[in-house]
Amino acid sequence: MTQHSRDTPQFYLTAPSPCPYLAGKEERKVFTHLVGERAGELNNILTQGGFRRSQSIAYRDSRHRDGGMADMTVLDYAMMVEDSHIETRIIEYRRKDPNAPAGKRAAGELVAIALTDVLGDGLSMVYSFFEPDEAGRSLGTYMVLDHIARARSMGLAYVYLGYWVRGSRKMDYKSRFLPQERLMPDGWMRVE
């Protein structure tokens, strides 16, 4: 019998459920808990292998679950951000405050947020959202471009955008950021 330490991840498989991105398809997820002293290291390895993080769970599958953040409670928030074993940051995007004194940057109205994990080789955009009334400003595109600039300034090679499901309108924007690497059944493939 093999003994497992608290730092050895155990993986679980969910039952099939309807895919929120493609009608008539199902999803299943493989997941593990990100806890303990090696949680950051494990998150690095799993993200490079195609996993994504939600709160203290890393999961992987060919379909991405929708709506989990919409039902988030204060406790869920604390588990994802404040009580995380992962190095994570909240990056706020605000309007320029027209009343700020010259030369000083005062915090204006919040228009977008990105929850970002800092990995050994890049930034992983775990979750982002923006003010729906500001959709015409392309804030999602701006946040991705800003993360690319942030990664470069930190000497990091990658920005992980998460899953991309071919045919899903919600995820089509990801295919515009080239060059990129996509994890395929045979490994990582560069797309120009």
Side-chain angles (χ1 to χ4, degrees):
M1 178 189 318
T2 305
Q3 282 199 319
H4 296 282
S5 74
R6 290 185 339 186
D7 287 339
T8 302
Q10 294 185 12
F11 292 87
Y12 306 91
L13 181 63
T14 65
S17 61
C19 176
Y21 291 99
L22 299 175
K25 300 284 186 178
E26 290 187 331
E27 71 171 358
R28 290 185 81 178
K29 289 186 220 51
V30 174
F31 71 95
T32 189
H33 294 277
L34 295 170
V35 294
E37 292 179 13
R38 295 183 55 217
E41 178 185 349
L42 181 60
N43 190 44
N44 271 301
I45 293 166
L46 293 177
T47 300
Q48 293 166 3
F51 280 70
R52 298 300 294 159
R53 182 175 77 86
S54 178
Q55 296 159 333
S56 64
I57 294 173
Y59 65 95
R60 179 177 174 186
D61 174 335
S62 61
R63 304 288 178 247
H64 186 272
R65 190 174 76 150
D66 188 26
M69 302 297 180
D71 299 325
M72 195 176 230
T73 66
V74 172
L75 180 58
D76 294 332
Y77 170 84
M79 287 175 57
M80 186 151 191
V81 180
E82 297 173 354
D83 193 26
S84 176
H85 294 261
I86 308 302
E87 183 181 349
T88 191
R89 296 182 180 165
I90 295 177
I91 301 171
E92 296 181 349
Y93 297 89
R94 296 180 173 272
R95 283 188 199 282
K96 190 174 191 178
D97 185 350
N99 299 319
K104 292 204 174 186
R105 185 176 178 189
E109 179 186 358
L110 184 65
V111 294
I113 292 179
L115 177 65
T116 304
D117 287 348
V118 180
L119 306 175
D121 65 349
L123 299 176
S124 177
M125 295 183 73
V126 175
Y127 188 69
S128 62
F129 56 93
F130 56 86
E131 175 62 48
D133 293 339
E134 300 288 337
R137 295 182 68 193
S138 301
L139 290 171
T141 297
Y142 178 80
M143 287 190 282
V144 172
L145 294 174
D146 179 61
H147 274 69
I148 292 169
R150 286 172 185 267
R152 280 188 183 141
S153 72
M154 295 170 73
L156 301 172
Y158 300 103
V159 173
Y160 293 89
L161 298 180
Y163 291 125
W164 173 66
V165 176
R166 186 183 309 271
S168 168
R169 276 189 31 227
K170 290 182 179 182
M171 295 188 178
D172 278 346
Y173 77 92
K174 295 178 183 185
S175 65
R176 292 184 290 137
F177 297 96
L178 299 174
Q180 62 182 232
E181 294 182 24
R182 296 180 183 165
L183 184 58
M184 308 301 276
D186 294 331
W188 289 97
M189 178 181 84
R190 186 173 174 89
V191 177
E192 300 287 335

